[in-house]
Amino acid sequence: PEPFFYRIGDTFAPTRMANGFWGPKDNLHARVMIGLFAHVIEKQHGEPDLQPARLTVDLYRLPDLAPVTVATRLVRQGGRIKVVEAELFSGDVSSARASCQLLRRTQQPEAPIWSRPSWTVPPPEQIPPPETPFTEKWEMRPILPPAAVVAHDLRAPAPRRTCLREVRPLVGGAAYTRLSLV
């Protein structure tokens, strides 16, 4: 499938699939901007023994579908931590900023560690897709509660969860990595 972006030198040219839903005209979807931050940070600053621990993104201007650039800056490089800032530009206009914290992998301490309760949902492959797809931009598999009467109905009155999965590459010719899947 067509990717969200094609890389042209130092710029990323969005395709129609990168279009968002919020503006009155063509604009970049927030999730592809966040994915692009992750992609560029990992390509420029990733290391095999560093684990992405946090990616925080501030979106403050809705860019159109013109080519964008991402500038990064190393904030801190220590023995256990690396902090990187990034800024997305549409033309010469800043549209979003990101901060990524990467931590060096180490041994777990022997003390008890809190962990969240087990995930009680079947894997995505075992969740049937909806009869009518919501969008062609991603795969969406609603996880309906057992009491839901209407199968695959997102409007059923009950709490629910949804499994979302990208169906196309973020950047043409580049595979998804653990950070660009955030």
Side-chain angles (χ1 to χ4, degrees), residues 25-158:
K25 58 181 179 139
D26 293 342
N27 56 77
L28 282 179
H29 196 286
R31 83 182 198 291
V32 300
M33 286 190 280
I34 295 166
L36 189 58
F37 274 129
H39 173 79
V40 171
I41 289 170
E42 188 167 40
K43 290 286 184 196
Q44 293 182 6
H45 300 279
E47 297 177 33
D49 61 335
L50 290 177
Q51 171 69 40
R54 182 177 66 213
L55 176 66
T56 304
V57 178
D58 294 314
L59 306 168
Y60 44 82
R61 180 166 285 129
L62 192 60
D64 60 18
L65 294 180
V68 297
T69 58
V70 177
T72 66
R73 176 177 80 90
L74 181 63
V75 175
R76 167 119 165 81
Q77 172 75 60
R80 295 195 58 196
I81 189 171
K82 182 186 263 191
V83 179
V84 177
E85 288 182 345
E87 191 168 7
L88 184 138
F89 293 90
S90 179
D92 293 332
V93 179
S94 176
S95 296
R97 297 185 72 128
S99 174
C100 185
Q101 185 180 82
L102 301 113
L103 300 176
R104 194 154 317 278
R105 298 172 197 272
T106 63
Q107 293 288 342
Q108 283 284 66
E110 293 188 27
I113 300 173
W114 176 88
S115 63
R116 73 178 71 140
S118 296
W119 181 250
T120 59
V121 173
E125 296 75 28
Q126 294 177 11
I127 302 168
E131 293 173 14
T132 305
F134 176 70
T135 178
E136 66 180 337
K137 294 186 179 189
W138 59 79
E139 178 185 354
M140 183 172 163
R141 294 181 181 229
I143 304 164
L144 296 174
V149 187
V150 181
H152 307 299
D153 187 354
L154 296 177
R155 297 164 293 171

Side-chain angles (χ1 to χ4, degrees), residues 4 35 42 166-171 174-181:
F4 293 112
E42 188 167 40
E166 294 297 351
V167 295
R168 61 190 69 252
L170 178 69
V171 178
Y176 276 105
T177 63
R178 65 177 181 249
L179 183 56
S180 63
L181 281 172

